[in-house]
Amino acid sequence: MRGGEGDSTVVVVGAGAAGTLTASHLVTGLSQRHRVVLVDPVGTTGRGPAYSTTDPRHLLNVPASGMSAFPRDPEHFFRWVRRHHDAETQPQDFVPRHVYGSYVEGLLETAAEYPGNARLERVHRAVTGLDRRGDRFVVRLEDHAPVVARAVVLATGSRPGTDWAPAELLASSRFVADPWTQELPAGDLLVVGTGLSTVDVVLSAHGSDPGRTVHTVSRHDELPRVHRLPTTPAVPPPPGITRVAGLDELRAAVERHVARTLRETGDWRAALDGLRPVTAQLWQGLCDEGKRQFLDDHARAWEVHRHRMPPVTAARLARVVEDGGLVRHTGTVAAAREVADGLEVRLDDGTTLRAGGVVGCTGPVGTLTRDPLLARLARTGLVRPGPAGLGVDTADDGRVLGVLPSTMPFFALGALRRGNLWETTAMPEIREQAYAVAQTVVRALHGETRRRPADVYGLTLTTGRPTARAYNEALGRLLRLQDGVEDGLRRAVALDPGFAQAHAALALLGHEWGAAGSWRGALRAAHAAAADRHLDDREISFLDAVTTRLRSDEATGAAALLRHVRLFPRDALAVSVAVPTVAFGGLTSGRQTADLVEGLGRTYGDDWWYAGQLAFVRQDQERWGEAEALAAYALSVEPASGHAVHARAHVYYETGQHEGGLAWLDDWIRTCGREANHRSHFSWHAALHELMTCDLDAVRRRYERELAPPVVTGSRALVDSGALLWRCHVTGTWTGDLPGEAVCGAAPDGWLISPPTPFAAMHAALGLAAEGDEVGLAALRTTSLAHADPVFRDVVAPLARALQLTVEGDHGAAADLLERLLPTTGALGGSAAQREVLQDTLVHALVRAGRGEQAAVVLDDRLGRRTSALDARRLAALRVAPVSRQLRRG
């Protein structure tokens, strides 16, 4: 049925927030030859039950900063509120819910007004059925002609539950099954349920009649907990929580996580917020019996702690309680009957209440049999129940699973996916689903009937599956810090010369790894490929960021790549470049790096690669126990995880476990490390352990076997080989001339005089010092003084001068300059262990300048932090020297 009726039509069933957002993305993503039909019998659009209230006391339970409808523009709603509602609104403010309904409605109206976008048709009818006609859908409507469509999206939400209500109550006109579509009766009320809806009903009832009493009843009598302001940053989930077996073990792991977070932050909320990225995995990891047991025994506790009320709402509710306007009961409704002035209701404990009406706030029913449309679709096999009987069963991308072939675009989102995802009704989840579903439908209507392949973190790849496998193999090697990344990317572009993502990745890695000139051709190929392909937003953003990074100054390029990471945090390749690691100098340092990596916890959860990245941040914060636990977890999942190995190597070094660290690291290098990229850095770590234990012959053997050029070339020749040589020189542990000339000869072109980053500049200076090249150091200082980056001017230039003075033998001046400079060297990037060579240089200069007492203070302070036979020997020599001089004088 190609090119016929419905060829360019998409039907979205449900005009609440989820359906309206999806329709908005569809209207924007499709051209004017397409039609988007938004079907729902209600008179409003974009509101649904959640945002249809007009009472200004009903507030969103998420601050304004967290309610953007666009995953890639997290401040969009906040900006809209300040323009259209209240210019004084702050990011942490809780905005009235009706304002959000206006926001969502306005998004669709704005999209529909643009003449180049798809046509929008709003149909205020109920959908009565859905049939298949070839590769088309026929959507049957109440009192309306059917609509033939290429794609259908179900966003119907869930109906309010009334199974708890006795027949006499259901038949009464004083029963309010849905307080958002029905008026509240006059007089006292009984509200069944104690969730967020109940809180809003209580506030509305008390506001309209402060003299009346509102009774509540529920099985647990648990009210939602209260948000804390300012919010505590989410604490990442404990390592391995997604791999626990069974509900009991999961409950124990969550309780430990909450207890630990409470001890460390004073706020349990941060623990639950940190679980958000892995909630779906935790739910999916339970067996059917475990899911049902959770629903019976733990779901209510989860809901009241997870879905919290704003502090201002809690304060208003507290005033109602103080006024005697709220009476709470524990139990269920056993019976009800009409009386002269209302309803008489008996609870299961025998309590009898009189009320003007009963309001149902027990929450939606999750089973599809309660929805007439879904029940009909289930009878024809178009849908089937989701896990634990909740919602409809869907694939990971939201595709509805049933009798239809996967080539027919039939999707569900929002509450309908609760069985598969559990957490799926809050805006952060809905906006992601709406965007992803719309993008998939747009591709289907553009002729791409098969789902595009994805990378290891689910990001779309515009290529074929064999090429995607080659790309993912290369990406996996990058994440494990293994050799062969660029070779793998070259295989991918050989399979598909039009694969823009792989070309762009080759350009970025070539630039960051110092392959001068090679990245230019890859970047040109990426742009040529992009011109012939319909890339998705992430791929376009990545190419734009790479282009800016490679064709602009350091600050502008770094900002572009970091912006891309903020918009697409699951782009692990971009994150790898942004974070300082074994492989990359990174775009951040210190607190910036910690903020970046810790913020990614909401995206990666307990992923092994992320655990290794976080472990390195924790060791940099001197949180050794946490770093070791994270590294151990990552290595238990992926023994080749280079980031975890790197973090553990630092833990061993910084805690003075030199023998144990050396034994473990050597074993890893011999096994998994054989495939490691940047193997020389792990050899550098092993050499440091040998140096600290005064096994100087072993240091020399390791250098000659694993670190001397041409075994090591490029950036690593400076970062590992040259830095080790200079450290040996200033600690007096290398006999004979330093082979610095070979190291500098193996460095990337241009790095010795015009290094690309401050981190590279520090090691260029160390390499030149190891060669004894005071002229090169002077040239590096000159180029650094003229650099646009203040770190070059203020840190690199004086460092080059200090090393030049050291090489020239003016140790007093070198020591004075280094003493002033050392507090600022964190801006150079890298780890404390790498920058420690500058402190060793200071000790060397102080000793040569006859200021041994000052040098002893530095070494004594270091020994107070960790054991080191080398430092202890150097300190002892400094303390013996004055005594020897006195004896000679005597």
Side-chain angles (χ1 to χ4, degrees), residues 577-626:
V577 174
V579 177
T581 65
V582 177
F584 302 100
L587 309 178
T588 59
S589 62
R591 185 66 253 174
Q592 289 177 300
T593 300
D595 289 343
L596 173 61
V597 175
E598 289 168 351
L600 293 170
R602 294 186 293 271
T603 297
Y604 289 97
D606 68 346
D607 172 76
W608 66 266
W609 169 75
Y610 174 72
Q613 295 276 19
L614 185 60
F616 193 79
V617 168
R618 291 291 180 255
Q619 70 78 28
D620 197 47
Q621 296 168 332
E622 300 186 5
R623 295 159 67 172
W624 315 121
E626 293 176 60

Side-chain angles (χ1 to χ4, degrees), residues 681-764:
H681 191 65
F682 298 111
S683 295
W684 175 84
H685 271 282
L688 282 194
H689 286 308
E690 292 166 339
L691 193 62
M692 292 302 106
T693 57
C694 291
D695 192 348
L696 308 182
D697 290 338
V699 175
R700 187 111 182 200
R701 287 195 301 271
R702 188 178 298 274
Y703 178 83
E704 292 171 352
R705 182 179 69 247
E706 300 173 21
L707 290 162
V711 174
V712 177
T713 59
S715 60
R716 298 249 69 102
L718 293 178
V719 174
D720 300 321
S721 309
L724 180 65
L725 285 179
W726 183 250
R727 192 183 295 239
C728 288
H729 172 71
V730 295
T731 55
T733 54
W734 188 278
T735 57
D737 295 334
L738 291 177
E741 184 177 354
V743 168
C744 290
D749 291 343
W751 272 39
L752 293 175
I753 305 303
S754 299
T757 65
F759 177 77
M762 176 181 78
H763 287 91

Side-chain angles (χ1 to χ4, degrees), residues 481-483 513 582-584 675-683 715-716 720:
L481 295 182
Q482 291 179 318
D483 278 332
W513 285 339
V582 177
F584 302 100
E675 289 190 73
N677 195 0
H678 307 286
R679 282 184 298 275
S680 63
H681 191 65
F682 298 111
S683 295
S715 60
R716 298 249 69 102
D720 300 321

Side-chain angles (χ1 to χ4, degrees), residues 157-238:
S158 298
R159 291 175 173 263
T162 57
D163 287 356
W164 54 269
E168 298 89 342
L169 182 58
L170 289 172
S172 172
S173 62
R174 292 180 175 271
F175 175 55
V176 177
D178 185 355
W180 312 122
T181 61
Q182 298 172 256
E183 294 289 331
L184 296 179
D188 292 349
L189 298 176
L190 171 64
V191 182
V192 182
T194 50
L196 290 168
S197 295
T198 294
V199 173
D200 284 343
V201 169
V202 170
L203 294 181
S204 288
H206 190 261
S208 63
D209 182 2
R212 68 169 145 188
T213 299
V214 178
H215 296 267
T216 63
V217 62
S218 71
R219 287 184 301 146
H220 303 94
D221 188 31
E222 291 272 4
L223 286 171
R225 302 309 190 256
V226 184
H227 279 286
R228 180 177 177 177
L229 293 177
T231 57
T232 305
V235 174

